[in-house]
Amino acid sequence: MQVTWSPDSKRIASGSPDGTVHVWDAANGSHLFVYKGHPHYITSVAWSPDGKRIASGSNDHTVRVWNAQ
């Protein structure tokens, strides 16, 4: 599993073996969002410097960019 903190340290993004990206509240651990789109496991996740987007890379050889709500 891949994990990264948001630039403001308020959220955490994680990439899962099932091809989904999850966003968590760093203060209380609550699950905020899930992004689905990769058919294979996530190999990397990264926030944009402004915290508005999350990029995910997958074993399917694709990169997706998500609007971080």
Side-chain angles (χ1 to χ4, degrees):
M1 180 186 306
Q2 301 299 316
V3 177
T4 185
W5 289 85
S6 65
D8 63 6
S9 299
K10 293 182 179 180
R11 296 171 291 168
I12 298 169
S14 64
S16 297
D18 67 359
T20 58
V21 175
H22 298 264
V23 178
W24 310 87
D25 184 299
N28 62 25
S30 64
H31 188 254
L32 300 174
F33 306 104
V34 63
Y35 301 99
K36 300 177 183 180
H38 289 289
H40 295 281
Y41 62 89
I42 304 297
T43 57
S44 60
V45 290
W47 291 86
S48 63
D50 62 7
K52 294 182 179 180
R53 289 171 300 286
I54 301 168
S56 58
S58 173
N59 193 42
D60 63 7
H61 306 285
T62 64
V63 173
R64 294 187 182 263
V65 178
W66 313 93
N67 287 322
Q69 301 176 355

